[in-house]
Amino acid sequence: MAGIDRRVFLQGTGILTAGALTSRLKGYSSELAAPGRVATAEREVLPPPVYEPFEWTVPGLVFSFEFIEKKLRSRIVLPTGVAVPKNTPASTVLSGIETSLHCTGEDPNDHHGLKLTGGSPGARLIYLGKKEISTPAGRRLSIYQSDPVLGLDVESIYEAFADLPVVRRSTRVTNRGHKEVGIEYLSSAMLYNLASPRGFEQELMIHFAQNTWQAEAQWRAVKPSRAGFIDNGNFTISPASFDSVGTWSTQRYLPMGVVENSELGVTWFWQIEHNGTWHWELANTQDKTVYAYVGGPDELHGHAWKNLKPGETYVTVPAAIGCVRGGFEEAVDALTRYRRTACLRPRLDTHKLPVIFNDYMNCLEGDPTTAKELPLIEAAAEAGCEYFVIDAGWYAELSEDWWGSVGAWQPSKTRFPGGLQDVLDRIRAKGMVPGLWLEPEVIGINSPLKNKPDAWFFQRHGKRVIDHTRYLLDLRNPEVRSYLNSVIDRMVGEYKVGYIKMDYNVDGLEGTEYQADSPGQGLLEHNRALLSWLDDVLARFPDLTIENCGSGGGRMEYAMLSHLQLQSSSDQEDYRLYPAIEVGESAGVLPEQLAIWSYQLKNGDADAATFNMVNAMLFRIHQSGHLAELSPECFAQVKTGLEIYKDKIRPHIGSSVPYYPLGMPDMTDTISPISLGMRSPQSNFIAVWRLQGADRVHLPHADPKMKVLYPTNLGISVEPEGDGIGIVFPRKMMACILTAAQ
C-alpha cells in the first residue's frame, strides 16, 4: 500500500476499528446519523419490551407498528387525522418487516426475483424496545432489534424536525457475535400498505424524475405498470426500480420518489441523501402487500457487499420519508421546507444570495485569457454582478488541452502574461468577489501528478480506474486529502478567491475494490470521506462559497447540498430549453441553492435577453454570455433584470416554495407554455414562458391582480380570463415574471 498503514488510510472515512468510537457513540447524534459510521457502540440499556401495537406521532405524521409474537412489523405511515384504511391487511412473516436486511448464507424466504424482500435476518429480528429523546431540531425515536442467530443488533433511527411531516430515517447494525457477517442489503427505510393489495394499479401514481446531461429533472407521472410494477393477478417478482451507480449520483434519476394514492387522497415521498450509489423500489411481497424499499448501495445494485467484523457497526445512508394529504405539489412543499430546516448549511452565501458571473457558458467556454477577461469584468460589474468566476482552463497553457491536464492547479503563464493574480485583483477592484473553477477529485492522465502512488487512485482488478482521460482520486487516503488541502489553501489564502466552482466530469461507476470489502463499499467510504473533507474545508474558510457541479446536475442531491452552498443546474446550451429543466429541478433543490444560467447572446435581441433573465430570476442567478458585446438594448434588459431581482425578488427566495400552475413540463414539447410559481409568506411570483405555441397563455386559479414585473417594455400584458388570468405575448419565445399588484 505504498507505505500507508490501513488504519491511517481509513481515518475520516467512517471506518474505524472496534472500540474506537464507543464513548463518542454513547451520545449518538443526528450529525453521526447523516454521514454514517462504522464503529463499535455499547448496547443500549432498555426496560423489558412490550409486544403490543403502538404508534409514534410527530407533527403531521403517524407511524403505526404491530407485532407477530416478538417480531416488530411496520404497518403504515399516514398524515395525522387520516384513518388506517379498513382493507389494510395485517402484517405477516413477509410483510411489514421494519428493517429489510439480508446477509450472506441466509435464506431470502420470499418469491422475490429482483426485489429486496424476504431478507434474513431482517424477517426474524426480535424486538428489544424503543427510546425517544428530544433533539435541538425536534425528536428522535430509536427502535432496537436483534438477531440471536448471527449476533446482530439493529437500531432503527427516526428523526423528526419541528412541525414537518418528514422524518429522516437511517439504520445501524452492530455485530455482537464472534464471526464475520456479510451484509448484502440493508434498508434506510421501509414503507408498507401504500395501496390495497388488489387495487394498486388503479389507486397509485408514481412520480419520478429522469436526470441526464443537459436534460435534468424531467418528471414523469405513471401508473405502476408503466414503471414495471405490473398487476398480474397474483404478485410480481419484478419491481418498479430506480437507482444510480457511481460517483455521478444523479446520472439517471434524482434520488427521490413520490407515490400518490388517489383513493386515500394522500401522497408518500422520499429523498435519499447520498452522493453515490442508491436504490429504491416499489412492488408487492408474496402475500401481496404493496411496499417501498428505500436505501443506499447494496450488493445487487451497487456491488456493495459489506463484511461486518465482530465489534463493528455499519450505518446506512440517510433517507427522508414523509406523507401528506394531497398530491405531488403538497409533497414538494413538505420536502422544500424539510430541506430548508434539516439540510441547509448556514452560510453567508445562502443568506445574501449574491449574483454570480461565470465566464463559461456561451462565453469563453474554457479558453480564458487576460485580454478576454478584462472587458467581461468591466461589463459584469456594470450590470450589477457581485461575484466573478473564471471557469475551466485557467491552469492550462495555451498549447495544452485543459481537459486532460487537470491536477496540478497552477496558473497558466501564457494565458495571463501579467499573472492570474492581476486578473483576480481587477475583479476585486470592481467590487466583486473572485472565484475559480476546480475539479479536485481527478488527475488528468497528462498531469505530472499521474506519477503518484497507485494508492492515491480508484482501482479495480489491480489496475487504476481511468475515465475520460482522468484518474479518480481516492479521498480515503490522507495523502490525497492533504494534497487537496494544499490546493484549497493556495486558492483561498494566496489567490484570495471567495468562490470555488467544484466540478466533477467523470464517473467512478462500481467504485474501488482497493482496501475495501467490495468496489461498492470502497465507493461508499470514498463518498463519506469526500463529505468529511468538504466539512473541514468549509470550517477552515467560513466565508468561502463552494458550488456543487457534476457536468451540470450530475450530483444534484442532498448529501452534497447539505454541505455545499449552490447547485449547478445544467450544461444545457440552448436557453429556450432551460425552462423545462429548471421547473423540474425546483422540486429537487431549494431555490436559494439552485443556480440557473442566464447566458446572453452577442447577436440576441431584447426578447432573448429577457427570456434568459426570466430563466434565472426566481433562483440563484448565474450570469454569463458576452456582456461587453451586447447591444445597448439587451444590456439594459440585463441590468434592469438584476436590479429587480435584488430589490423585489431576492429577499423572498429563502422562504419561498414552488408550485406549478401548468404542471410539470416536458422539454421535448417545444409548443406548450411553461409556468413556475414561487410563493412565500410575503410574496407570490409566477414565471411564464411562451414557446412556439399560441400568443395567449391561460393560468387557471391565478390571482386576477397579477401584473407584469419584468420585462415591462416589450408589450406583454395580463388580463382576467375565466377562472384565472391570460397573459398575452406579442411574439414567440418570450417570457415574463408576474407579481401581485401592490
Side-chain angles (χ1 to χ4, degrees):
M1 190 173 173
I4 300 175
D5 187 279
R6 174 171 166 78
R7 290 170 298 175
V8 177
F9 180 81
L10 294 176
Q11 285 177 2
T13 69
I15 299 182
L16 297 175
T17 55
L21 283 185
T22 300
S23 60
R24 287 165 58 188
L25 288 175
K26 289 178 182 177
Y28 185 81
S29 68
S30 60
E31 287 74 23
L32 288 178
R37 296 280 173 175
V38 178
T40 298
E42 292 184 350
R43 192 175 226 181
E44 187 74 28
V45 178
L46 300 168
V50 177
Y51 304 109
E52 295 180 356
F54 68 91
E55 293 182 343
W56 188 56
T57 301
V58 297
L61 280 181
V62 178
F63 292 76
S64 298
F65 299 92
E66 57 190 353
F67 289 89
I68 300 176
E69 297 180 342
K70 297 181 179 181
K71 301 177 181 66
L72 179 68
R73 292 296 184 262
S74 175
R75 195 175 190 204
I76 196 168
V77 180
L78 287 170
T80 304
V82 176
V84 176
K86 293 181 180 179
N87 61 353
T88 300
S91 299
T92 70
V93 294
L94 296 175
S95 67
I97 298 169
E98 194 272 343
T99 294
S100 188
L101 167 63
H102 186 66
C103 295
T104 301
E106 294 290 315
D107 178 18
N109 190 21
D110 187 18
H111 204 59
H112 60 87
L114 291 175
K115 302 179 299 184
L116 301 187
T117 60
S120 294
R124 68 169 182 251
L125 293 175
I126 302 301
Y127 176 72
L128 300 178
K130 56 185 170 66
K131 179 180 179 180
E132 184 174 4
I133 64 172
S134 297
T135 67
R139 296 156 59 195
R140 183 170 67 244
L141 172 72
S142 289
I143 294 176
Y144 301 93
Q145 303 173 80
S146 71
D147 175 45
V149 177
L150 297 180
L152 299 180
D153 279 359
V154 176
E155 179 185 358
S156 301
I157 301 158
Y158 297 75
E159 191 167 9
F161 300 88
D163 60 347
L164 302 176
V166 187
V167 166
R168 180 179 283 153
R169 179 74 173 82
S170 59
T171 307
R172 305 172 71 233
V173 175
T174 300
N175 186 349
R176 302 285 182 191
H178 302 289
K179 295 181 179 179
E180 298 177 350
V181 177
I183 296 178
E184 298 187 4
Y185 61 78
L186 175 63
S187 63
S188 295
M190 298 293 297
L191 295 167
Y192 291 96
N193 293 306
L194 305 186
S196 58
R198 287 269 64 91
F200 62 85
E201 178 69 10
Q202 294 73 39
E203 297 172 13
L204 297 185
M205 185 69 72
I206 304 173
H207 302 262
F208 60 94
Q210 295 173 325
N211 203 71
T212 189
W213 186 56
Q214 296 197 5
E216 290 84 356
Q218 298 301 288
W219 284 91
R220 307 289 182 245
V222 300
K223 286 293 186 180
S225 60
R226 302 296 293 174
F229 176 21
I230 300 173
D231 185 0
N232 59 5
N234 200 333
F235 63 90
T236 182
I237 58 173
S238 300
S241 181
F242 302 86
D243 48 56
S244 182
V245 176
T247 44
W248 265 339
S249 49
T250 57
Q251 63 174 322
R252 295 182 63 201
Y253 305 102
L254 295 186
M256 298 172 58
V258 179
V259 176
E260 185 176 356
N261 186 314
S262 58
E263 181 72 18
L264 293 178
V266 304
T267 298
W268 292 272
F269 53 88
W270 48 86
Q271 78 173 16
I272 302 169
E273 297 166 5
H274 183 47
N275 55 328
T277 300
W278 54 266
H279 169 79
W280 70 265
E281 68 186 41
L282 183 73
N284 56 7
T285 59
Q286 189 174 331
D287 63 7
K288 305 178 181 59
T289 298
V290 179
Y291 74 91
Y293 172 105
V294 182
D298 59 70
E299 184 176 37
L300 177 62
H301 303 96
H303 310 270
W305 180 83
K306 173 61 185 173
N307 185 39
L308 193 66
K309 296 179 176 62
E312 284 188 341
T313 293
Y314 180 60
V315 185
T316 66
V317 305
I321 59 173
C323 189
V324 292
R325 297 175 189 251
F328 178 82
E329 206 165 276
E330 287 74 19
V332 171
D333 183 290
L335 273 170
T336 300
R337 292 186 290 120
Y338 161 78
R339 292 167 186 147
R340 195 165 277 141
T341 299
C343 301
L344 187 63
R345 185 188 187 111
R347 299 288 280 192
L348 187 64
D349 174 86
T350 48
H351 174 69
K352 290 193 172 183
L353 314 185
V355 175
I356 300 149
F357 183 90
N358 180 293
D359 70 10
Y360 188 86
M361 189 62 72
N362 288 353
C363 194
L364 301 187
E365 298 188 333
D367 189 26
T369 65
T370 298
K372 294 177 181 178
E373 296 288 5
L374 294 184
L376 284 174
I377 293 169
E378 294 283 339
E382 172 63 21
C385 297
E386 295 156 307
Y387 279 59
F388 189 103
V389 179
I390 300 173
D391 209 279
W394 60 269
Y395 48 84
E397 301 303 333
L398 288 169
S399 60
E400 285 185 316
D401 170 25
W402 66 263
W403 183 271
S405 62
V406 295
W409 308 114
Q410 295 290 342
S412 168
K413 294 182 175 62
T414 52
R415 292 183 180 277
F416 310 106
L420 175 64
Q421 193 65 62
D422 178 61
V423 178
L424 299 176
D425 289 342
R426 298 288 187 98
I427 294 169
R428 277 186 287 271
K430 286 295 179 180
M432 297 182 291
V433 176
L436 289 173
W437 181 91
L438 185 68
E439 193 169 356
E441 298 158 72
V442 298
I443 296 295
I445 60 173
N446 298 321
S447 168
L449 273 76
K450 68 181 182 296
N451 296 320
K452 290 294 184 180
D454 287 345
W456 276 45
F457 304 101
F458 275 33
Q459 298 177 53
R460 292 197 292 269
H461 310 298
K463 301 289 185 180
R464 291 187 189 183
V465 175
I466 306 175
D467 192 36
H468 204 175
T469 73
R470 277 100 177 268
Y471 299 115
L472 282 64
L473 288 172
D474 189 336
L475 268 78
R476 297 176 298 167
N477 189 325
E479 290 184 357
V480 170
R481 296 197 302 275
S482 178
Y483 170 69
L484 294 182
N485 282 334
S486 73
V487 173
I488 300 294
D489 290 348
R490 185 172 70 251
M491 293 175 69
V492 180
E494 182 180 338
Y495 307 158
K496 299 294 190 294
V497 303
Y499 187 104
I500 292 175
K501 177 177 180 178
M502 194 181 79
D503 210 341
Y504 190 72
N505 291 298
V506 294
D507 195 344
L509 295 175
E510 302 100 307
T512 176
E513 62 189 18
Y514 183 64
Q515 293 289 333
D517 296 332
S518 59
Q521 281 296 319
L523 176 61
L524 175 62
E525 295 162 11
H526 161 83
N527 295 140
R528 288 171 165 168
L530 170 62
L531 298 179
S532 176
W533 175 70
L534 290 171
D535 280 341
D536 291 343
V537 170
L538 292 168
R540 290 206 319 275
F541 301 108
D543 295 330
L544 177 65
T545 294
I546 303 180
E547 173 193 339
N548 179 41
C549 183
S551 289
R555 290 199 296 194
M556 189 162 50
E557 33 69 17
Y558 269 88
M560 296 298 288
L561 288 174
S562 291
H563 295 73
L564 303 183
Q565 290 71 65
L566 287 94
Q567 174 63 53
S568 175
S569 55
S570 183
D571 282 351
Q572 176 54 246
E573 298 171 279
D574 188 338
Y575 71 93
R576 298 167 297 184
L577 298 176
Y578 223 126
I581 293 173
E582 65 185 82
V583 173
E585 289 176 326
S586 72
V589 180
L590 285 170
E592 60 263 44
Q593 290 185 287
L594 186 57
I596 303 294
W597 290 107
S598 170
Y599 34 58
Q600 302 300 323
L601 307 180
K602 287 192 290 186
N603 57 352
D605 57 15
D607 288 354
T610 54
F611 195 111
N612 258 301
M613 293 305 300
V614 170
N615 283 354
M617 288 172 66
L618 296 186
F619 301 100
R620 298 296 302 277
I621 296 179
H622 262 186
Q623 192 66 57
S624 194
H626 291 277
L627 293 187
E629 301 179 48
L630 298 184
S631 68
E633 179 187 27
C634 290
F635 189 84
Q637 291 289 2
V638 174
K639 189 171 183 178
T640 299
L642 292 182
E643 290 170 352
I644 291 173
Y645 174 78
K646 293 176 182 179
D647 184 44
K648 302 292 186 182
I649 300 175
R650 184 164 67 178
H652 305 287
I653 289 176
S655 60
S656 65
V657 294
Y659 65 99
Y660 309 102
L662 298 177
M664 277 294 176
D666 182 338
M667 67 181 298
T668 64
D669 178 2
T670 61
I671 305 299
S672 303
I674 296 172
S675 182
L676 171 67
M678 283 287 179
R679 185 183 291 117
S680 77
Q682 295 82 29
S683 68
N684 182 16
F685 300 102
I686 303 177
V688 186
W689 294 268
R690 177 194 175 185
L691 304 183
Q692 298 287 355
D695 62 352
R696 180 179 288 267
V697 176
H698 177 67
L699 295 187
H701 314 300
D703 185 346
K705 296 180 181 179
M706 297 296 280
K707 66 176 183 178
V708 176
L709 176 65
Y710 173 85
T712 58
N713 59 349
L714 297 182
I716 302 170
S717 61
V718 182
E719 303 170 356
E721 183 178 271
D723 63 345
I725 59 175
I727 303 96
V728 180
F729 295 92
R731 294 171 295 281
K732 295 179 180 179
M733 292 298 170
M734 297 187 74
C736 69
I737 292 178
L738 309 177
T739 189
Q742 299 297 320

